[in-house]
Amino acid sequence: QVQLVESGGGSVQAGGSLRLSCAASGYSFSRHCVAWFRQGVGTERERVTHLNAYGRTIYADSVKGRFTISRDNTKNTLYLQMNSLKPEDTAMYYCAASDGSLCLSLEATSFAYFGQGTQVTVSS
């Protein structure tokens, strides 16, 4: 059974940084396409960034240059380093894992597993 558990969320002021973590059990981050999604209040879930099994990353334009996705294969943990945070980054952030390796689709419906989410709040 796959379980994803996020941590690291919190409240920061604009311009600050946070690092989110996602620990997996029953799943190997190194062999699959993985991602971070976010959902603000009253908005649809949107993709933030993807990382495929071969190290290729894709970022949403809204976070490009500020966020970095990475993984530690020895710890089987996925990270999202978020710098220069803006109030519009406020959302629940979800770790997502797929059964594929290439990230052929970036849509949330292509991901079989999601964590419970961790809240990020950025104040101006």
Side-chain angles (χ1 to χ4, degrees):
Q1 183 177 358
V2 175
Q3 187 174 16
L4 305 176
V5 180
E6 300 99 332
S7 60
S11 297
V12 294
Q13 290 191 329
S17 298
L18 283 174
R19 188 177 79 156
L20 307 183
S21 299
C22 176
S25 58
Y27 184 87
S28 173
F29 283 128
S30 66
R31 299 179 182 178
H32 297 94
C33 168
V34 292
W36 289 93
F37 288 82
R38 67 185 181 186
Q39 187 169 15
V41 175
T43 66
E44 294 186 356
R45 187 171 295 190
E46 64 171 332
R47 66 178 183 87
V48 176
T49 179
H50 293 65
L51 171 65
N52 75 11
Y54 305 98
R56 184 186 180 217
T57 57
I58 305 169
Y59 294 93
D61 288 343
S62 59
V63 306
K64 201 172 293 183
R66 300 188 297 121
F67 290 12
T68 303
I69 187 172
S70 64
R71 63 183 168 225
D72 184 330
N73 295 336
T74 62
K75 297 180 179 179
N76 202 26
T77 300
L78 184 69
Y79 300 102
L80 181 64
Q81 178 67 44
M82 305 186 294
N83 299 328
S84 303
L85 282 161
K86 303 176 181 180
E88 51 264 43
D89 295 319
T90 295
M92 186 73 79
Y93 283 72
Y94 299 90
C95 167
S98 76
D99 289 326
S101 63
L102 294 178
C103 296
L104 295 178
S105 170
L106 306 182
E107 301 301 321
T109 52
S110 297
F111 290 79
Y113 315 104
F114 282 85
Q116 83 289 349
T118 186
Q119 178 68 36
V120 172
T121 302
V122 185
S123 59
S124 58

